[in-house]
Amino acid sequence: MIEESRRRAYLSAMQVDCWLPRLSLPFAAPSRPDCLAEVVAAPSLTPPRPASAAPAPSAVPAEPALPGEVLARLPLRRPAPVARAPLETPDSPPEVPVEPVARPVTPRFTLQLYRAGACLLLVELPTGEPFQRRDPSYLLLKDLLRAAGLPDSPQLLGEPLRWPLLNSRDFDQGPQAARAVIEDLLYAQRERGEQWACLWLLGLPALRYAAGADSQDYLRELDLAQLGRAWALPGLELLIDEPQRKAALWQAMQGVQARWRDDEPG
């Protein structure tokens, strides 16, 4: 334990004016009564401030109403319709939905009949109009006829056949009707006394609606019963666009041209 004088020197150095020991210290001076008295708070000289009223909440400005033209554009909410199950009666049979019958697509093409020696030619007109003398398709047709040993100035038979015949949807002008009309046209040539050793079908429409064949039958011979033998050829415009087809056409011609050469007058 340190002496009282030294203890007070330490407390003064630490600027401690009043302190209370936890235990009774030996050699310590008795505590002063004023240090042990309760400290009473001095009354405040300033009058108490009246409690300020709580700030009133600021009024939220009402949302401006929408203009009439904007309201008119807003979609109206309508209650969703309630689906009601149809009443089933034991006597009524269930209704069978009727599927609409799809009408066949009307084909569009133009064909022309020619006569060249012992052959009859049914030729597709690429432009829909009769050939002119300087048309590339007509010049190619003349080359084919010369290569086949036939007259290179074919005889025109009648007007071009343009399909559909009528600009109306009230009549059936589908593929079956087109084939029936072309067959009637060829049979009419037979009834007029026209005879031919071979029928040339040039172009897909001629092949499809005169013989019921398709593009895979190009350069083949077809048997048309009462109309005789037919030879399927690509269209003139296709031969111009794809000249590599001419070599196969020339080879096929060597095998079929005996049909019309044997029928030519000697």
Side-chain angles (χ1 to χ4, degrees):
M1 296 293 179
I2 61 176
E3 297 179 355
E4 179 67 18
S5 58
R6 184 175 295 181
R7 183 182 300 112
R8 289 187 178 276
Y10 282 132
L11 293 176
S12 298
M14 292 185 293
Q15 298 180 356
V16 176
D17 296 333
C18 182
W19 61 278
L20 293 176
R22 293 183 303 167
L23 300 174
S24 179
L25 300 178
F27 310 108
S31 299
R32 292 179 296 177
D34 56 345
C35 294
L36 300 178
E38 294 183 3
V39 179
V40 180
S44 177
L45 299 179
T46 58
R49 181 181 300 177
S52 59
S58 59
V60 179
E63 185 177 357
L66 294 175
E69 58 179 357
V70 177
L71 289 175
R73 297 177 185 175
L74 295 178
L76 297 177
R77 290 187 178 180
R78 299 180 179 178
V82 179
R84 297 182 179 179
L87 297 178
E88 296 183 0
T89 58
D91 298 335
S92 60
E95 295 184 0
V96 179
V98 179
E99 297 182 359
V101 179
R103 300 184 63 179
V105 179
T106 301
R108 297 183 179 276
F109 57 85
T110 304
L111 300 176
Q112 177 67 64
L113 271 176
Y114 289 95
R115 180 67 187 250
C119 293
L120 190 70
L121 284 64
L122 184 61
V123 184
E124 177 192 10
L125 300 180
T127 63
E129 298 297 331
F131 288 134
Q132 303 298 323
R133 290 184 176 273
R134 305 305 300 174
D135 285 347
S137 297
Y138 184 68
L139 296 177
L140 177 58
L141 177 61
K142 293 171 67 70
D143 292 341
L144 293 177
L145 294 175
R146 280 195 298 267
L150 296 171
D152 61 355
S153 296
Q155 177 187 356
L156 192 65
L157 299 179
E159 296 293 328
L161 173 63
R162 294 180 174 87
W163 194 268
L165 296 175
L166 302 174
N167 190 15
S168 174
R169 296 185 178 181
D170 297 334
F171 301 93
D172 181 15
Q173 301 186 84
Q176 295 297 331
R179 183 172 181 181
V181 170
I182 293 176
E183 287 180 352
D184 291 343
L185 176 65
L186 296 175
Y187 280 118
Q189 296 296 321
R190 284 288 196 194
E191 293 176 358
R192 293 175 185 173
E194 292 285 346
Q195 300 295 326
W196 54 83
C198 185
L199 172 63
W200 286 25
L201 302 175
L202 288 97
L204 189 58
L207 182 60
R208 180 174 293 166
Y209 300 111
D214 215 326
S215 58
Q216 65 267 16
D217 296 312
Y218 283 154
L219 307 181
R220 294 180 182 177
E221 282 192 90
L222 306 173
D223 187 4
L224 302 185
Q226 297 180 6
L227 295 176
R229 304 291 294 182
W231 187 33
L233 295 169
L236 297 172
E237 191 174 42
L238 181 60
L239 290 174
I240 293 175
D241 295 339
E242 301 179 11
Q244 66 273 13
R245 291 178 176 266
K246 295 180 181 179
L249 189 152
W250 172 256
Q251 293 179 359
M253 184 183 293
Q254 304 304 312
V256 298
Q257 64 181 348
R259 291 191 175 277
W260 54 81
R261 284 188 174 179
D262 294 342
D263 288 358
E264 289 183 354

